[in-house]
């Protein structure tokens, strides 16, 4: 592969991942809700879970799982409904927490040991990522559109690693921004209202995903 081809490919992959990050979606909302409600470590743990999901989906896309979804659309349909169900569960959990004035959105209580909260945050991030089959299609399109045909296996593995590294950097940035004293203070000032807002957003995303899956 020519150096120019590599640079163009990498630049395009970085740009597309950046555009996906700044577009509000379940991933960003999951990190924000964890960071403002349980602190920076929980936000970072959620981001790491999402990043691991990114590596898994990118690797599966590289292995051709997007073709599997085309051949067996019921698999993608079932996975999308599972994702919608998980997002809806997160939404109901947030709404219940707001109603009970217990605004920890993560599995486990605030009084749980730190490692339990972080483990719950990591699992939440990983689950949000893995129940989103659009991620496989997204990375499949990246590999199709921006990776040169002459790419070696080593380069393809590097692309997967790059996507994972970008996910860590982007989600960590979100966690740092929304766990600042200003963000935490604003959350504490209106925690029930904000948590209820997260619940509405998660529930709305769940309904949108379910509707999109059913209408196809």
């Amino acid at each position: 592969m020519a150096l120019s081809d590599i640079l163009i490919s990498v630049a395009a992959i970085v740009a597309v991942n950046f555009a996906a990050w700044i577009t509000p979606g379940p991933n960003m909302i999951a990190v924000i809700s964890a960071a403002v409600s349980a602190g920076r470590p929980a936000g970072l743990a959620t981001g790491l879970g999402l990043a691991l999901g990114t590596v898994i989906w990118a690797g599966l896309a590289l292995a051709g799982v997007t073709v599997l979804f085309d051949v067996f659309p019921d698999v993608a349909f079932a996975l999308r409904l599972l994702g919608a169900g998980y997002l809806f569960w997160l939404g109901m959990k947030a709404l219940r927490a707001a109603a009970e004035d217990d605004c920890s959105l993560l599995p486990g209580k605030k009084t749980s040991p730190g490692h339990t909260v972080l483990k719950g945050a990591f699992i939440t991030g990983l689950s949000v990522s893995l129940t989103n089959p659009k991620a496989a299609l997204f990375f499949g399109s990246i590999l199709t559109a921006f990776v040169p045909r002459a790419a070696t296996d080593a380069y393809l593995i590097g692309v997967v690693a790059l996507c994972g590294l970008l996910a860590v950097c982007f989600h960590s940035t979100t966690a740092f921004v929304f766990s600042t004293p200003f963000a935490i203070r604003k959350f504490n000032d209106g925690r029930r209202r904000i948590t209820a807002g997260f619940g509405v957003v998660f529930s709305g995303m769940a309904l949108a995903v379910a509707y999109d899956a059913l209408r196809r």
Side-chain angles (χ1 to χ4, degrees):
M1 290 177 58
L3 179 60
S4 59
D5 290 337
I6 294 176
L7 293 177
I8 292 173
S9 174
V10 169
I13 290 170
V14 171
V16 171
N17 276 275
F18 178 80
W21 168 60
I22 63 174
T23 302
N27 290 359
M28 179 175 284
I29 297 300
V31 176
I32 293 174
S33 65
V36 300
S37 64
R40 181 170 296 167
L44 292 172
T46 303
L48 288 177
L50 288 166
L52 176 57
T54 291
V55 170
I56 292 173
W57 277 125
L60 289 175
L62 182 63
V65 75
T66 52
V67 176
L68 178 64
F69 285 164
D70 289 336
V71 176
F72 301 103
D74 288 346
V75 175
F77 174 75
L79 190 55
R80 295 188 73 183
L81 288 185
L82 178 63
Y86 186 73
L87 289 175
F88 190 75
W89 178 80
L90 287 177
M92 292 300 99
K93 189 177 190 301
L95 290 174
R96 185 171 65 251
E100 297 173 355
D101 198 18
D102 176 15
C103 296
S104 176
L105 308 185
L106 302 171
K109 298 295 185 181
K110 289 182 178 180
T111 55
S112 300
H115 70 275
T116 301
V117 174
L118 296 181
K119 180 180 177 181
F122 179 84
I123 292 174
T124 295
L126 181 61
S127 299
V128 168
S129 181
L130 292 184
T131 54
N132 179 17
K134 280 190 173 181
L137 302 177
F138 171 76
F139 289 112
S141 66
I142 287 178
L143 293 173
T144 301
F146 302 122
V147 175
R149 292 185 178 181
T152 63
D153 290 342
Y155 181 76
L156 294 176
I157 293 172
V159 167
V160 174
L162 174 62
C163 290
L165 178 61
L166 290 172
V168 170
C169 294
F170 292 152
H171 295 315
S172 295
T173 298
T174 301
F176 271 93
V177 170
F178 286 92
S179 60
T180 58
F182 175 80
I184 297 297
R185 184 169 63 252
K186 289 298 181 181
F187 175 76
N188 287 332
D189 289 343
R191 64 183 186 277
R192 297 185 69 175
R193 183 176 66 255
I194 295 172
T195 302
F198 284 134
V200 171
V201 170
F202 275 126
S203 300
M205 288 178 174
L207 294 176
V209 170
Y211 173 76
D212 186 60
L214 291 171
R215 74 183 179 86
R216 292 169 186 252

